[in-house]
Amino acid sequence: MIIMILAVLIVLSIIVSINSGYIRLGPLEVFKTLFGYGNEKQSLILFQFRLPRIVISLLIGAGLAVSGCILQGISRNALADPGILGINAGAGFALMLFVSFFPTNSFGSIFAIPFLALIGAGLTALLIYVLSYKKNEGISPTRLLLTGIAVAAGISAAMIVLTLKLDPDQYQFIATWLAGSIWGSNWKFVLALLPWIVVLIPLAWYKARIMNVLSLGEHTAASLGASIEKERIGLLAVAVGLAGSSVAISGGIGFVGLIAPHLARRLVGPRHQILLPTAALAGSLLVVAADTIGRVILQPSEIPTGIVVAVIGAPYFLYLLAKSRS
């Protein structure tokens, strides 16, 4: 029932998003255009601008939400999130190095960007994992969070230094990316992102039983026969792949991986078999709604999606932090 309700809300948000924008398309115009009876202008707006952006928002929301859900499960840390732990910053740093030397609008570079973001995110996750790990103790949730925040701060500082060497066009692109604007809003970027989401989210769902065991704690998981470090590293790789590929297209959108899993956990409980798909739907709904609000609220100007999500996510993060301290 919860999944059905979320699916209906997503459909409604898509309808609102299609009908929203500087140039309005009424419901009847959208319906006619979808079936090939619209004029050239309506077809251009719907098929080349709004629909690819909506599809990308759905994919990004699902990818970031499932990534956050995995990170929270394997670390047993309710505050774990790809943005907070610095994984998004690592992907952004790799992307910044790439755009400093190559154009981002060529066909080949579009498909290279997720791989480069994955490398940056993976190296960052590896660094955080090594710094957080203690022999005979494993990974402490608090140590993981603090290490991630520190690494993210260091990478952000390095990115600021690099921006001084960029030309105006490159700087504008990076500034847009850092704000969390969905900059890759055409079908080529959908094709670049889709394989990562289609492959990695089912893989995460396949490992749901392992995440249920890991969430019980290391000693309990070991007594049940789970290969803790092997499974944790594999799941971490899936989370990094989802976060890195999503962030490469969406920019620095944070808090989706924090809010969506918490909302899903409140609605359906902690079993990952149902938690993961619910979190994916909640993340998609959040990003589509935030993108629509950002496009509509200050027309003809546009507020980056990441800023809208941050307005929602930052207070929620502080609430969770205060709750965890108590």
Side-chain angles (χ1 to χ4, degrees):
M1 182 63 69
I2 294 295
I3 287 177
M4 288 178 62
I5 291 172
L6 287 173
V8 169
L9 290 175
I10 288 174
V11 171
L12 292 176
S13 67
I14 290 172
I15 293 172
V16 172
S17 184
I18 288 176
N19 288 277
S20 302
Y22 182 65
I23 300 176
R24 286 190 55 82
L25 293 178
L28 183 59
E29 293 174 317
V30 171
F31 185 79
K32 289 169 61 178
T33 305
L34 284 173
F35 288 93
Y37 295 101
N39 58 41
E40 186 176 346
K41 179 181 177 182
Q42 292 168 342
S43 298
L44 178 67
I45 293 171
L46 183 61
F47 291 111
Q48 299 302 320
F49 293 105
R50 293 189 184 168
L51 278 181
R53 183 161 181 160
I54 290 170
V55 173
I56 285 174
S57 298
L58 292 170
L59 296 176
I60 288 167
L64 291 175
V66 173
S67 177
C69 198
I70 294 171
L71 291 173
Q72 290 174 17
I74 63 177
S75 67
R76 293 179 291 114
N77 187 339
L79 302 178
D81 165 78
I84 297 169
L85 293 183
I87 295 174
N88 290 1
F93 186 69
L95 183 63
M96 177 179 282
L97 291 176
F98 178 74
V99 301
S100 300
F101 299 99
F102 301 99
T104 57
N105 55 0
S106 65
F107 188 80
S109 69
I110 289 173
F111 290 90
I113 283 174
F115 286 100
L116 293 166
L118 176 64
I119 292 171
L123 292 175
T124 304
L126 179 62
L127 176 62
I128 294 169
Y129 187 88
V130 170
L131 294 176
S132 303
Y133 186 83
K134 263 194 173 182
K135 192 175 181 180
N136 300 325
E137 292 183 22
I139 293 180
S140 163
T142 303
R143 190 163 59 244
L144 178 70
L145 178 65
L146 295 176
T147 303
I149 292 173
V151 170
I155 293 175
S156 299
M159 292 173 70
I160 292 172
V161 173
L162 276 179
T163 57
L164 301 176
K165 298 181 177 294
L166 300 177
D167 62 43
D169 290 337
Q170 291 172 329
Y171 178 82
Q172 182 62 41
F173 170 78
I174 292 298
T176 302
W177 187 93
L178 291 173
S181 176
I182 299 177
W183 60 278
S185 54
N186 63 54
W187 293 112
K188 290 186 290 185
F189 288 96
V190 172
L191 291 176
L193 178 60
L194 187 62
W196 298 85
I197 304 299
V198 169
V199 171
L200 293 179
I201 287 183
L203 181 59
W205 186 76
Y206 175 74
K207 291 288 186 178
R209 185 181 61 84
I210 298 297
M211 282 187 274
N212 290 337
V213 174
L214 291 177
S215 64
L216 299 174
E218 292 192 3
H219 297 295
T220 304
S223 66
L224 292 173
S227 179
I228 298 174
E229 291 306 316
K230 178 183 175 182
E231 297 292 352
R232 182 179 281 160
I233 291 173
L235 288 166
L236 181 60
V238 173
V240 168
L242 287 169
S245 58
S246 299
V247 168
I249 306 299
S250 71
I253 297 180
F255 295 111
V256 176
L258 178 71
I259 298 173
H262 274 275
L263 176 62
R265 201 171 285 109
R266 286 176 178 269
L267 293 173
V268 299
R271 278 185 72 240
H272 286 85
Q273 285 90 337
I274 192 68
L275 176 62
L276 288 171
T278 305
L281 290 175
S284 295
L285 176 63
L286 176 62
V287 175
V288 171
D291 184 55
T292 304
I293 292 170
R295 288 192 291 112
V296 170
I297 195 169
L298 289 179
Q299 288 183 0
S301 299
E302 182 177 311
I303 301 175
T305 306
I307 294 177
V308 179
V309 175
V311 169
I312 302 170
Y316 190 66
F317 173 71
L318 294 175
Y319 162 74
L320 291 175
L321 189 62
K323 187 178 179 182
S324 66
R325 284 178 176 175
S326 62

